[in-house]
Amino acid sequence: MSDSTTKPEPDATERPEPAPRHGDGDTGHSLSPERRRYLWLALGLLLQLFAVGGRWDLALTAWGFQIFLLRFLRTGRPLTGLPLVWLVGVAGGLFWVVQLAVPLTFLTVIGVLSLASGCLVPFAVDRFVSPRLGSLGRLLAFPAALTATAFLLGTYNPFGTAYGLLAVTQHANLALLQVLSVAGPYAATFLIGVVATAANHLWERGISWRSARYAFAVAALLGLVIVGGQARIAFAPASTAPTVRVAGVNPTKATLAEAERLLGTDIGDHEAVSRADPAVVRATADAISAQLFADTRKAARAGAKIVLWSENAQRLRSADEPAFLAKAGELARQEGIYLNLAVNVYLPDAPYGRDQTVLLGPDGEVLWTYQKRHPIPGLESYKPGKGPAPVVETPYGRVSNVICYDADFPAMMRVDADIMLVPGGDWPEMGRIHTQMASLRAIENGYALVRQDFNGSSQAFDHQGNVLAQQDTTPGDNEPWIVDVPTRGTTTLYRMTGDVFAWLCGAATIAAIGFAVRRSRSRG
């Protein structure tokens, strides 16, 4: 079979399954071609279930599931194959929901179905477009479309990159992930996609020097990425920078239980709280403040210069906010610290609150007030904020802040900062994974990242993604958590250029579709 790129390959929508080759492992007792196809589909499904960015991910499965799904699609009719691949995507999304205990609401189901539909686009491109592009186009069309689709979904859908970002599955492979500092979070998606098409190229043609050249090229690219990433880790360590002691503080479960006893209702029920006696709500807020202030003072006296609270650590009425900020400012002034408060402000006669942070300087003055930009769709009713991530110059470098789910939107995390503070609020199944997701932002942008998580996993990372310290906060009775964090980040190419690589993949996909349509018409 010719491997030349100058002659068009047969249209895959019309081509029957290739004759059995040595690479297919056929024997006289092998499965029929049709049954073998469904074996590939089953393997693709099984592997994808452990490559969705969940608690039970296995890094290698992310590199394998698309190989089998492509093989299934390329050897059968697309009008029957694509709906089945879509169902595989739906199954993966639902499995992600179940293992992370995400509430199964109507909006969650719609989100899973929509994301599965979006993720079908690269497979449709591979099935209908790439056969008209020659061998090189067949190698690159799928990974380019896969990258472009991941970028568009991660940027413009309300769930961000919380689900479906393949780089998350590789969180333990820091050498590989250093490529994110160059090309962004979707670079890993491209690499995984091109491995899938290279493997299928070999599968279709059998193993020979001529057919293996693309596989060798892809292996060389992957090796270059890993060796380059390892060199970055070895020769540009973050440990040479001066450090500052940062502390994280959570409200304890005992404190919150006492607050709810005083209030007589769930402290998260904004509508009920808005109807409660203001004096009772004020007493509830004071009970929470007492513990948070005491732990903040303890952390400061242990050497912390920056203290951050977990998301919605304090809850109070908007009318009581000025008095609370005055007390917190006095605490920051007495201890000489930067204090990043995380406050849920109850609004009068409203079924929602204001999820915000307030940074107080060592003089007690307010340096920023930031409102969460991305409330979780279907789970949080906060009114979204509008401003960018704030940045403040301090003796410990440029300090910035977002809140929890905001970190699942890579574009808003491209901030010129040395330390990124991320107050979070999760639940046990989600906490560790959500913090690992946030760690990618540190590599992409070259800053240290500290995520203080309520009922999950608090962790700090340097600009290469190394874990500096961590604390399991699910017991609910944790002491203040203290970590030494580098005060100087680094400038990354991704932070300067943004998602140029992803946009180029999108442009290449559109060009490939246009070329394929033109070639199809010329042949017609």
Side-chain angles (χ1 to χ4, degrees), residues 351-436:
Y352 55 85
R354 190 169 66 240
D355 187 350
Q356 68 180 33
T357 59
V358 180
L359 181 67
L360 302 171
D363 57 0
E365 296 299 314
V366 173
L367 299 178
W368 74 50
T369 298
Y370 171 80
Q371 193 169 335
K372 189 175 186 177
R373 283 273 303 276
H374 296 281
I376 302 175
L379 298 182
E380 295 179 334
S381 57
Y382 309 118
K383 186 176 181 179
K386 296 181 180 179
V391 181
V392 168
E393 289 278 356
T394 77
Y396 314 111
R398 299 179 303 279
V399 178
S400 185
N401 164 100
V402 297
I403 300 175
C404 199
Y405 200 59
D406 289 337
D408 292 310
F409 294 82
M412 77 164 294
M413 299 293 286
R414 291 202 305 271
V415 178
D416 184 12
D418 298 298
I419 300 174
M420 174 64 71
L421 306 177
V422 186
D426 286 308
W427 53 95
E429 295 86 354
M430 173 63 83
R432 180 177 61 83
I433 299 302
H434 211 186
T435 299
Q436 287 172 352

Side-chain angles (χ1 to χ4, degrees), residues 71-85:
R71 187 89 302 263
F72 168 75
L73 270 177
R74 288 185 177 189
T75 55
R77 296 183 180 277
L79 295 184
T80 56
L82 285 168
L84 291 174
V85 172

Side-chain angles (χ1 to χ4, degrees), residues 507-523:
T509 301
I510 294 172
I513 294 172
F515 181 80
V517 169
R518 181 179 177 183
R519 171 171 283 190
S520 182
R521 287 178 176 174
S522 67
R523 290 173 58 189

Side-chain angles (χ1 to χ4, degrees), residues 71-427:
R71 187 89 302 263
F72 168 75
L73 270 177
R74 288 185 177 189
T75 55
R77 296 183 180 277
L79 295 184
T80 56
L82 285 168
L84 291 174
V85 172
W86 178 78
L87 287 175
V88 168
V90 171
L94 292 175
F95 191 64
W96 179 86
V97 168
V98 169
Q99 64 177 290
L100 294 182
V102 176
L104 193 61
T105 65
F106 175 75
L107 188 58
T108 305
V109 173
I110 293 299
V112 168
L113 298 179
S114 300
L115 289 172
S117 300
C119 293
L120 196 62
V121 171
F123 292 97
V125 167
D126 182 80
R127 195 63 179 84
F128 292 111
V129 175
S130 65
R132 297 174 171 86
L133 303 178
S135 295
L136 184 61
R138 196 160 172 78
L139 180 76
L140 297 177
F142 175 75
L146 188 70
T147 304
T149 301
F151 165 64
L152 293 174
L153 291 176
T155 304
Y156 299 108
N157 95 86
F159 298 96
T161 58
Y163 171 75
L165 184 62
L166 291 176
V168 174
T169 67
Q170 308 300 305
H171 64 86
N173 189 346
L174 291 185
L176 172 71
L177 290 182
Q178 299 311 303
V179 73
L180 274 58
S181 67
V182 177
Y186 309 103
T189 301
F190 181 88
L191 292 172
I192 290 172
V194 80
V195 166
T197 52
N200 270 277
H201 184 86
L202 271 180
W203 200 334
E204 291 165 356
R205 291 159 176 79
I207 298 176
S208 69
W209 167 250
R210 187 173 181 83
S211 64
R213 56 181 177 168
Y214 289 130
F216 284 132
V218 170
L221 172 64
L222 195 58
L224 181 64
V225 167
I226 293 175
V227 170
Q230 193 60 56
R232 183 174 190 255
I233 293 172
F235 299 114
S239 58
T240 59
T243 61
V244 60
R245 186 153 289 185
V246 179
V249 171
N250 283 359
T252 66
K253 290 182 179 177
T255 296
L256 295 179
E258 174 62 14
E260 291 194 343
R261 187 191 67 78
L262 292 171
L263 192 59
T265 187
D266 182 353
I267 59 174
D269 187 342
H270 293 258
E271 194 168 4
V273 173
S274 69
R275 297 193 301 266
D277 182 347
V280 173
V281 178
R282 191 175 303 114
T284 300
D286 288 343
I288 298 174
S289 294
Q291 182 241 304
L292 293 173
F293 284 0
D295 280 354
T296 297
R297 196 179 299 276
K298 182 185 298 184
R301 294 182 179 180
K305 298 300 181 184
I306 301 172
V307 179
L308 73 153
W309 295 356
S310 58
E311 182 182 16
N312 293 329
Q314 175 60 294
R315 297 168 185 265
L316 46 79
R317 298 169 63 248
S318 57
D320 299 327
E321 188 176 7
F324 166 75
L325 291 178
K327 292 179 182 177
E330 179 62 23
L331 172 61
R333 186 164 47 249
Q334 290 174 356
E335 301 299 334
I337 59 173
Y338 289 88
L339 176 55
N340 196 33
L341 310 169
V343 186
N344 186 327
V345 179
Y346 299 118
L347 302 177
D349 303 317
Y352 55 85
R354 190 169 66 240
D355 187 350
Q356 68 180 33
T357 59
V358 180
L359 181 67
L360 302 171
D363 57 0
E365 296 299 314
V366 173
L367 299 178
W368 74 50
T369 298
Y370 171 80
Q371 193 169 335
K372 189 175 186 177
R373 283 273 303 276
H374 296 281
I376 302 175
L379 298 182
E380 295 179 334
S381 57
Y382 309 118
K383 186 176 181 179
K386 296 181 180 179
V391 181
V392 168
E393 289 278 356
T394 77
Y396 314 111
R398 299 179 303 279
V399 178
S400 185
N401 164 100
V402 297
I403 300 175
C404 199
Y405 200 59
D406 289 337
D408 292 310
F409 294 82
M412 77 164 294
M413 299 293 286
R414 291 202 305 271
V415 178
D416 184 12
D418 298 298
I419 300 174
M420 174 64 71
L421 306 177
V422 186
D426 286 308
W427 53 95

